[in-house]
Amino acid sequence: MHSFLSSLELRSSENALYVCFTGIYEDYLTARYAEALELFCQAMHGNPWARIVDLRQWSVTAVQNQKLIEQLLQLDLKRGLALEYVLLPPDSVGRWQVEQTLKSLNAFTSTEVFHPTNDENEALAGLVKQGFSINFGSVTRYESRCWKVPKTPEPKS
């Protein structure tokens, strides 16, 4: 078996988060993200906030973690999330998974909160245009080793 590193990086400003996921998003990183998000939302005291989520180095998420992510996003809307830009993963399956999630979440809101994009500058400008700070501070990083089973070679006929 081979291991590879998955990570979560968080930076915050006075009213926005910048979140970067790398590799497979699994239980340990899900828990760390939920904890950090809870602390950020408590500090916001119910005021509107925004987020950029960078999924450009992310891998497709397991179904159980995807459901938890969707539940967290619905909770975020209740806790004041007013605007989110998602930097899409490069692979077609990942893009599809993210686009479907965002489409279903936008159905819960009266305004379009979630915006998929390929352009980080567009995301940053979108936050500034809506009055959110992009003066993100230092990075808090969480890492997790995942195990990948090598493929079994196909038998030769």
Side-chain angles (χ1 to χ4, degrees):
M1 286 196 288
H2 304 288
S3 70
F4 60 98
L5 193 63
S6 291
S7 67
L8 162 65
E9 293 182 350
L10 298 162
R11 295 184 295 153
S12 62
S13 70
E14 64 191 54
N15 58 5
L17 283 174
Y18 195 111
V19 183
C20 182
F21 297 108
T22 302
I24 295 173
Y25 194 62
E26 42 74 58
D27 292 345
Y28 174 77
L29 295 178
T30 301
R32 298 299 73 78
Y33 179 59
E35 291 169 359
L37 190 58
E38 180 65 28
L39 292 173
F40 178 81
C41 289
Q42 286 175 5
M44 290 305 302
H45 303 291
N47 292 319
W49 54 281
R51 174 173 50 208
I52 295 173
V53 179
D54 186 345
L55 299 177
R56 293 176 290 183
Q57 297 179 50
W58 169 81
S59 296
V60 175
T61 299
V63 172
Q64 67 272 19
N65 286 326
Q66 180 64 25
K67 295 212 177 295
L68 180 56
I69 291 167
E70 288 176 15
Q71 291 170 355
L72 287 172
L73 288 167
Q74 289 174 6
L75 180 60
D76 291 347
L77 292 169
K78 294 176 185 170
R79 297 190 289 191
L81 178 62
L83 180 64
E84 177 168 291
Y85 281 86
V86 179
L87 299 170
L88 294 168
D91 66 282
S92 58
V93 174
R95 291 175 77 87
W96 179 84
Q97 187 178 32
V98 170
E99 288 169 349
Q100 293 304 306
T101 300
L102 299 182
K103 190 182 298 182
S104 70
L105 290 166
N106 274 330
F108 286 105
T109 64
S110 58
T111 61
E112 192 171 331
V113 173
F114 300 96
H115 304 273
T117 184
N118 294 311
D119 184 356
E120 182 179 26
N121 290 327
E122 176 188 342
L124 293 166
L127 265 63
V128 169
K129 182 178 178 183
Q130 296 296 318
F132 294 101
S133 169
I134 59 169
N135 186 21
F136 297 108
S138 61
V139 173
T140 301
R141 181 178 172 89
Y142 301 94
E143 297 178 344
S144 176
R145 286 242 176 251
C146 299
W147 296 97
K148 180 176 166 182
V149 179
K151 284 186 175 179
T152 305
E154 294 286 326
K156 294 181 180 178
S157 346

